[in-house]
Amino acid sequence: MGQLLWTLKSKLLCQGCFVNLVDYTGITFATKQNQLTTEGATVKNYIGLDAHSATCTFVILNEKGLETRKAQIATSEKKIMDFLESVKGEKSLVFEESGMSVWLHAFLHGLVDEVIVCNPVYVSKKQGAKTDYRDALHLAHELRKGHLTSVFH
């Protein structure tokens, strides 16, 4: 079908297809309508983050392991904060230990319900090409499955 519907609250929905959305902050992200939830329901979001000095790639999974959202944004406090504040429901976020870990952990601590900084040596390996999106997706899946242990910060 793929027909677009505007709701009264101006949320862009698509039946069974990805749609790129740009909100007032200029953040571009993709979402799937069939994974959006009804208002009032508490949703558990598992967020994988692949962070670099220039960009951060986010992938969000729901409780069933379905991808509900993805984004690549500039690595700045304002852009990251705007993106995470747009995510409704309970938020658990994971990223790998790096040179940015101390700053990211301190910054993200107040924006999400749970922050896990994991040791990349202990994250299970995956086959295929290595991309920021695939790394963030893999981290989100491992977080949802409970396979990750946080390192001290």
Side-chain angles (χ1 to χ4, degrees):
M1 291 263 159
Q3 55 179 290
L4 301 177
L5 306 170
W6 282 94
T7 66
L8 292 175
K9 295 191 177 186
S10 299
K11 291 182 181 174
L12 183 62
L13 302 178
C14 175
Q15 296 178 347
C17 63
F18 275 104
V19 177
N20 286 327
L21 304 173
V22 179
D23 67 5
Y24 70 95
T25 62
I27 298 172
T28 302
F29 56 90
T31 187
K32 259 192 168 179
Q33 184 274 333
N34 60 354
Q35 282 129 27
L36 295 175
T37 58
T38 57
E39 291 186 27
T42 302
V43 180
K44 176 81 170 163
N45 296 288
Y46 299 93
I47 306 170
L49 167 60
D50 190 42
H52 299 281
S53 60
T55 61
C56 289
T57 302
F58 292 90
V59 175
I60 303 176
L61 303 178
N62 65 13
E63 294 166 325
K64 296 178 182 177
L66 299 173
E67 183 179 311
T68 58
R69 207 159 149 190
K70 61 183 174 181
Q72 185 172 39
I73 62 174
T75 302
S76 74
E77 288 183 356
K78 171 123 178 65
K79 296 282 186 186
I80 293 170
M81 183 170 51
D82 289 344
F83 176 76
L84 290 174
E85 286 177 348
S86 72
V87 177
K88 304 302 180 210
E90 187 179 337
K91 297 172 256 195
S92 293
L93 184 140
V94 62
F95 62 93
E96 292 180 338
E97 178 76 41
S98 70
M100 298 173 45
S101 297
V102 173
W103 168 74
L104 268 173
H105 185 270
F107 174 67
L108 294 171
H109 187 66
L111 296 174
V112 297
D113 300 298
E114 178 185 28
V115 178
I116 293 179
V117 183
C118 66
N119 186 336
V121 173
Y122 299 119
V123 176
S124 67
K125 304 298 180 216
K126 60 191 179 314
Q127 294 181 352
K130 185 169 170 40
T131 66
D132 295 344
Y133 165 76
R134 286 183 50 134
D135 290 346
L137 178 63
H138 183 64
L139 286 171
H141 277 295
E142 293 296 298
L143 175 63
R144 189 183 74 80
K145 294 174 188 174
H147 293 169
L148 301 174
T149 303
S150 186
V151 295
F152 176 75
H153 271 278

